[in-house]
Amino acid sequence: MGQRFTLLLIFLGVQVGAGAFKICAFNIRSFGRAKAANRRVMGALVQILSRCDISAIQEVRDSRGAAIQTLLRELNRYDPSHHYSRLESKRLGRGSYKEQNIFVYRMDVVSVTDWCQFGDEDARNYKAFARGPFAARFHSPYTAILDFVLLLHHTSPREAAQELELLFGVCTELMQRWKTENVMLLGDLNAAGAYIPASAWAGIRLRNHLAFHWLIGDGEDTTVSHRTCCAYDRIIVHGEELLGAIVPRSAKPFNFTQALGLSEEEALAISDHYPVEVNLRLAPKAQREL
């Protein structure tokens, strides 16, 4: 990739902010110590994630936590204008396979005021999830909306339709618990292709209830491989205040293959998913300060 690649990465880093607050969800396929030790992969991940004020990361596999520590260290080294921190879910999964959901965020721009892990043993209503959803409440004085909730979930492919329906209840519970309407559900929901039969959509309230807005459309491609074209990864918004704070037409996959000038093989070494992202408008005062 050479000098052209390096210059392009620097250019992407300069674009951070650009009058908006960026949230992304990224399934970094099997992120663990092997990827953390790969300088080329980590270099690309840092460039991708440093574009975002909050990154909702999925498929973190390292049980010792060393991989995410390395990622945080490299992010803070690359972008010293911000300080990146993290909020981790439990290790999730029914059997020996476990993974984590992790929010990586700029703690000088946004703070976590509360969090909630669903699917614990005493939460009988949510045992059907293969991996319990993870929610966090955020506050930022810089955005057009001060407080909002992010609900991060990675559905089981075989149970995607059932889990999408269950997520309606999770969103409802969060709104009641935290007394807010402003909830954004995001992540690898496997909400496309053979995982959701056409006949199943009619029974998914999250899809049909008018209060929920699907910002990543069915026609988007969130997959890296040329052999697939599916909108597995989604961003779904509830709450008119939150919806009104979103920059129009900002919700989209970030095609890092094209942006970083990678081959398909190089891109797949990073992940088989593209991040999905959306921008929140800055508060008027923040536009002058940031």
Side-chain angles (χ1 to χ4, degrees):
M1 291 179 275
Q3 185 177 12
R4 181 177 67 84
F5 177 67
T6 302
L7 291 174
L8 180 57
L9 296 185
I10 293 172
F11 170 77
L12 287 172
V14 170
Q15 301 306 306
V16 172
F21 179 103
K22 188 179 294 294
I23 299 169
C24 80
F26 191 10
N27 180 336
I28 311 176
R29 180 181 56 178
S30 296
F31 181 65
R33 282 172 284 173
K35 283 191 174 181
N38 186 316
R39 293 182 62 184
R40 179 171 291 185
V41 168
M42 284 296 287
L45 285 175
V46 165
Q47 301 301 327
I48 294 166
L49 297 176
S50 66
R51 302 167 60 253
C52 305
D53 295 277
I54 302 175
S55 298
I57 297 174
Q58 297 182 298
E59 275 203 34
V60 177
R61 296 292 316 281
D62 179 16
S63 62
R64 298 181 182 179
I68 198 67
Q69 291 177 18
T70 300
L71 179 60
L72 263 291
R73 183 174 63 248
E74 293 303 315
L75 270 171
N76 282 309
R77 180 181 298 169
Y78 174 77
D79 182 16
S81 64
H82 295 289
H83 184 74
Y84 293 84
S85 187
R86 70 186 187 274
L87 177 68
E88 301 183 11
S89 75
K90 294 183 176 182
R91 299 190 68 229
L92 306 168
R94 292 174 181 153
S96 59
Y97 177 91
K98 304 287 186 182
E99 62 183 59
Q100 283 181 291
N101 290 324
I102 298 180
F103 291 108
V104 172
Y105 61 97
R106 293 171 172 168
M107 63 182 302
D108 54 301
V109 174
V110 62
S111 59
V112 175
T113 59
D114 207 347
W115 62 272
C116 179
Q117 174 71 67
F118 289 86
D120 291 340
E121 291 181 1
D122 58 348
R124 61 185 183 278
N125 293 332
Y126 301 116
K127 283 186 177 180
F129 286 113
R131 296 173 285 264
F134 185 49
R137 190 171 189 177
F138 290 92
H139 172 84
S140 176
Y142 297 107
T143 55
I145 181 171
L146 293 176
D147 297 281
F148 53 92
V149 174
L150 299 185
L151 175 60
L152 179 58
H153 186 55
H154 182 193
T155 68
S156 168
R158 294 181 180 180
E159 302 167 12
Q162 178 186 3
E163 291 193 11
L164 281 173
E165 170 58 19
L166 288 173
L167 285 168
F168 182 91
V170 174
C171 290
T172 301
E173 181 171 328
L174 282 173
M175 288 184 278
Q176 293 171 348
R177 176 181 302 192
W178 286 333
K179 295 179 171 51
T180 180
E181 294 288 314
N182 301 312
V183 177
M184 180 184 296
L185 168 62
L186 68 172
D188 177 8
L189 302 181
N190 286 301
Y195 298 138
I196 310 287
S199 60
W201 284 113
I204 298 173
R205 286 174 293 172
L206 195 69
R207 175 68 169 220
N208 300 308
H209 198 290
L210 294 178
F212 289 90
H213 305 271
W214 290 55
L215 302 187
I216 303 296
D218 294 345
E220 298 285 359
D221 184 11
T222 69
T223 64
V224 173
S225 173
H226 294 155
R227 294 183 294 276
T228 55
C229 184
C230 293
Y232 291 137
D233 306 80
R234 302 289 186 133
I235 298 174
I236 305 165
V237 168
H238 183 283
E240 293 305 314
E241 186 182 10
L242 179 54
L243 185 64
I246 289 173
V247 176
R249 297 179 295 280
S250 65
K252 58 188 175 182
F254 176 63
N255 187 326
F256 58 77
T257 304
Q258 294 180 2
L260 303 183
L262 306 177
S263 67
E264 182 179 2
E265 181 181 3
E266 290 169 330
L268 285 170
I270 299 165
S271 180
D272 56 347
H273 290 255
Y274 288 129
V276 288
E277 61 186 33
V278 68
N279 293 344
L280 299 182
R281 292 184 292 106
L282 296 181
K285 185 179 180 182
Q287 292 178 358
R288 298 192 297 269
E289 292 180 349
L290 294 182

